[in-house]
Amino acid sequence: MALSTRAVTLKASCAPNLRAVRRAGARRAAAITTRAVITPSAQPDALYDAPDRANKQISATGASLANWSPSSWKDREALQQPNYVDQAELEVALSEIANRPPLVFAGEVRGLQAQLANAAAGNAFVLFGGDCAESFKEFNTNHIRDTYRVLLQMSVVLMYGAGVPVVKLGRMAGQFAKPRSEDLETIDGVSLPSYRGDNINSSEFTEEARRPDPSRLIRAYDQSCSTLNLLRAFSSGGYASMQRVTKWNLDFMEGEKEGAEYRELADRVDAALNFMAACGIDEDHPTMKSTDFYTAHEALHLGYEEQLTRLDSTTEEFYGCSAHFLWCGERTRQPDGAHMEYFRGVSNPIGIKISDKSDGDSVVSLVKSLNPENVPGRITLISRMGAAKLREHLPRLITAVEDAGLNVLWVSDPMHGNTIKTENGFKTRPFERVRDEIMAFFEVHEQMGTHPGGVHLEMTGKNVTECTGGTATVTEGDLELRYETECDPRLNASQALELAFLMAKELGEMRARRGVPPSPP
């Protein structure tokens, strides 16, 4: 569900070569041919005549349909799945979900793919943000609103400072399940099933709490539905209006450096809006009153995903209707595994996490299997390495992808390669390491002549103390004050906004060095 009805147009420069805008002198990829440019205003299955529709092997968005069904993943080995005690209980829960409405819709997903293709061409920037894992305990209006509001703030900073549109995706309304290194967790000689997210079991270390409970899948669906309803209202009901830009600051940031910087930027935006109004430009235009906001999560629980995979009546193609954007992690991207089998047939944009251990040939092979006709916006590669390893290993992966002529969007996940454990026992992520990985990501892409397309952050709108550092100066001693995550540490609102200012400055300078003018929204 794109959370507004505003149309999005894919820039003509995206086709047929997504690398049309290049740094002078940069190595160019070989010429490629793409099937189509996907836009919300175009009929995405226009390439197919009606009589051929039942026989088509590739969807218009790039999915591979040969010998595929929403349940064909069951013929492969499925990793990271819960071990339910009562299979009959699980089937009842899954049947209930199958009878529920989809959470998102095919047309919205196609709109997102158009925007991702635009970002891959260097004409937009993608911002993923939200909790490491959503929880039942933190589910309330204020928590959703505050995270959404910080994402809006960050997008305004990036748009104004970098001069490009921002595609906004929330790790919200479905980001529950988490992969685990071990099936069992042992404490003081007692072994119980690992905590896999609130849609599976509970984090308390008791036998009853750790038992995988199928009814939690239904509760997760209901919470996702409520979250999406609220996000839709925020995005199209006036809350996201640019005229409210000065009112988006969070109370606890009033005395912070980032709060002051944001108010200064908001004042400049207000002045620009007043100038536009004086020139007779309609401030009530939908572009000024609403925004597009999409949802994303790791599609880990394949039984749940299958039940929310629906046939689009306008194209007769399958979409994963649990979120607009689905991604797979390193633990589940085996080429012959169940997750890759599921992903290849759904028509959503797909994310693939890659690390310093990833092999260029394997990444290219995986991208080709998920996007056999190289459709723009279909594949996002999300790197997670740490700054030093990224500088060493990302160039060879970019080279492999470029030499293969593949259309991909490059996104940085600066969180997972920078997790440490402090002496007082807390998992944390130093802000400076997160910042350094993002800057290394920008640096490498500029050197390679490719586009740093976005960032993927674990963050919250709350004033938590989970990641150290930043100008707010969260110390290791502060972690115990407001350490609320059930999983991995998150940037707080001040740290997230600080990153936005740093990214906007660097992106703006990169575009200036390339002689690229600001992109229109």
Side-chain angles (χ1 to χ4, degrees):
M1 153 194 99
L3 302 175
S4 85
T5 57
R6 189 168 75 238
V8 181
T9 302
L10 185 62
K11 294 181 182 297
S13 59
C14 295
N17 189 342
L18 283 183
R19 280 164 294 279
V21 181
R22 309 283 292 198
R23 183 169 58 89
R27 178 175 53 83
R28 293 179 180 270
I32 58 174
T33 301
T34 60
R35 299 184 72 239
V37 172
I38 309 299
T39 69
S41 58
Q43 189 71 5
D45 61 342
L47 296 176
Y48 305 103
D49 294 326
D52 298 331
R53 185 168 299 183
N55 298 318
K56 63 185 178 184
Q57 301 294 294
I58 307 294
S59 79
T61 60
S64 177
L65 306 177
N67 301 313
W68 184 90
S69 74
S71 62
S72 59
W73 65 268
K74 293 179 178 177
D75 296 329
R76 311 285 184 92
E77 182 183 8
L79 302 181
Q80 296 291 332
Q81 302 304 290
N83 296 315
Y84 290 102
V85 175
D86 189 337
Q87 290 297 313
E89 187 180 11
L90 173 62
E91 290 304 318
V92 169
L94 293 178
S95 296
E96 173 66 22
I97 292 167
N99 289 325
R100 300 286 183 94
L103 293 172
V104 303
F105 302 97
E108 300 164 348
V109 174
R110 291 190 287 271
L112 171 61
Q113 183 162 341
Q115 295 193 41
L116 296 179
N118 202 33
N123 298 316
F125 191 77
V126 182
L127 176 63
F128 291 85
D131 288 321
C132 167
E134 292 176 279
S135 72
F136 295 158
K137 180 175 65 177
E138 285 193 316
F139 175 55
N140 60 69
T141 299
N142 290 345
H143 179 62
I144 299 167
R145 180 202 61 205
D146 289 349
T147 299
Y148 176 80
R149 182 159 53 179
V150 172
L151 286 168
L152 289 184
Q153 287 182 302
M154 295 175 73
S155 68
V156 167
V157 170
L158 287 163
M159 284 190 295
Y160 195 87
V164 293
V166 174
V167 185
K168 297 172 285 297
L169 292 102
R171 293 171 54 105
M172 305 167 78
Q175 177 53 22
F176 290 98
K178 298 296 293 181
R180 302 284 83 178
S181 300
E182 302 290 341
D183 285 337
L184 297 176
E185 179 182 2
T186 301
I187 299 178
D188 297 330
V190 177
S191 295
L192 295 174
S194 296
Y195 170 61
R196 290 186 173 274
D198 274 11
N199 64 335
I200 308 299
N201 54 9
S202 187
S203 61
E204 293 82 9
F205 195 74
T206 67
E207 185 174 354
E208 178 60 27
R210 291 298 180 92
R211 172 185 174 270
D213 180 358
S215 69
R216 285 176 165 265
L217 294 171
I218 299 174
R219 184 174 177 185
Y221 170 91
D222 289 340
Q223 180 169 320
S224 299
C225 187
S226 297
T227 300
L228 282 161
N229 285 341
L230 190 58
L231 292 172
R232 185 187 295 276
F234 285 154
S235 296
S236 60
Y239 186 84
S241 169
M242 287 298 292
Q243 282 75 20
R244 291 181 53 88
V245 68
T246 56
K247 299 178 176 62
W248 288 345
N249 234 342
L250 294 155
D251 294 339
F252 66 81
M253 290 179 60
E254 284 300 316
E256 300 286 346
K257 174 177 178 288
E258 288 71 41
E261 287 183 345
Y262 180 75
R263 284 195 303 275
E264 180 182 345
L265 181 143
D267 288 342
R268 295 201 299 270
V269 172
D270 274 351
L273 293 176
N274 289 336
F275 175 77
M276 290 167 62
C279 292
I281 299 175
D282 185 7
E283 66 179 30
D284 291 325
H285 190 277
T287 300
M288 307 300 293
K289 291 293 188 181
S290 63
T291 192
D292 291 329
F293 193 90
Y294 300 95
T295 60
H297 68 245
E298 182 175 3
L300 200 59
H301 193 296
L302 291 175
Y304 178 85
E305 300 296 337
E306 177 190 342
Q307 302 312 314
L308 284 170
T309 303
R310 307 294 169 83
L311 187 68
D312 175 34
S313 60
T314 64
T315 63
E316 296 185 16
E317 297 170 355
F318 283 99
Y319 284 80
C321 292
S322 62
H324 301 101
F325 182 99
L326 302 172
W327 80 81
C328 59
E330 280 213 296
R331 292 185 177 100
T332 55
R333 60 173 176 81
Q334 297 77 15
D336 297 325
H339 287 83
M340 289 302 96
E341 172 63 17
Y342 174 76
F343 277 114
R344 78 174 176 90
V346 292
S347 291
N348 305 60
I350 300 299
I352 306 170
K353 291 285 187 84
I354 57 175
S355 73
D356 57 290
K357 302 179 182 65
S358 300
D359 172 75
D361 290 340
S362 298
V363 171
V364 166
S365 177
L366 196 58
V367 171
K368 287 182 176 180
S369 70
L370 294 176
N371 190 20
E373 297 204 18
N374 210 18
V375 178
R378 164 75 170 167
I379 300 295
T380 297
L381 294 178
I382 307 169
S383 62
R384 39 167 291 179
M385 301 183 186
K389 290 181 178 179
L390 184 142
R391 286 190 173 93
E392 179 182 355
H393 295 283
L394 185 59
R396 63 177 174 80
L397 296 176
I398 293 174
T399 296
V401 170
E402 290 282 287
D403 287 348
L406 300 180
N407 289 316
V408 302
L409 169 67
W410 293 97
V411 167
S412 172
D413 167 2
M415 309 300 293
H416 287 89
N418 295 298
T419 305
I420 63 172
K421 197 164 188 177
T422 65
E423 291 183 0
N424 54 358
F426 286 95
K427 271 201 307 185
T428 191
R429 288 158 170 164
F431 174 88
E432 290 70 23
R433 292 194 185 186
V434 173
R435 175 203 62 202
D436 289 350
E437 181 160 356
I438 294 174
M439 294 302 128
F441 177 74
F442 290 167
E443 175 188 315
V444 166
H445 277 287
E446 185 171 29
Q447 292 172 350
M448 300 292 291
T450 49
H451 303 299
V455 292
H456 192 132
L457 303 175
E458 292 185 352
M459 50 163 283
T460 177
K462 300 173 68 176
N463 188 24
V464 299
T465 53
E466 296 171 2
C467 293
T468 58
T471 56
T473 320
V474 177
T475 66
E476 290 189 6
D478 294 329
L479 294 177
E480 63 182 355
L481 298 178
R482 291 179 298 279
Y483 196 94
E484 300 175 9
T485 182
E486 296 285 356
C487 196
D488 290 334
R490 304 162 294 180
L491 298 166
N492 63 28
S494 176
Q495 292 166 329
L497 194 56
E498 182 176 349
L499 275 182
F501 278 107
L502 292 170
M503 290 189 292
K505 181 175 184 294
E506 184 62 24
L507 286 169
E509 291 176 353
M510 287 174 61
R511 292 179 69 83
R513 286 193 290 270
R514 293 204 313 270
V516 179
S519 297

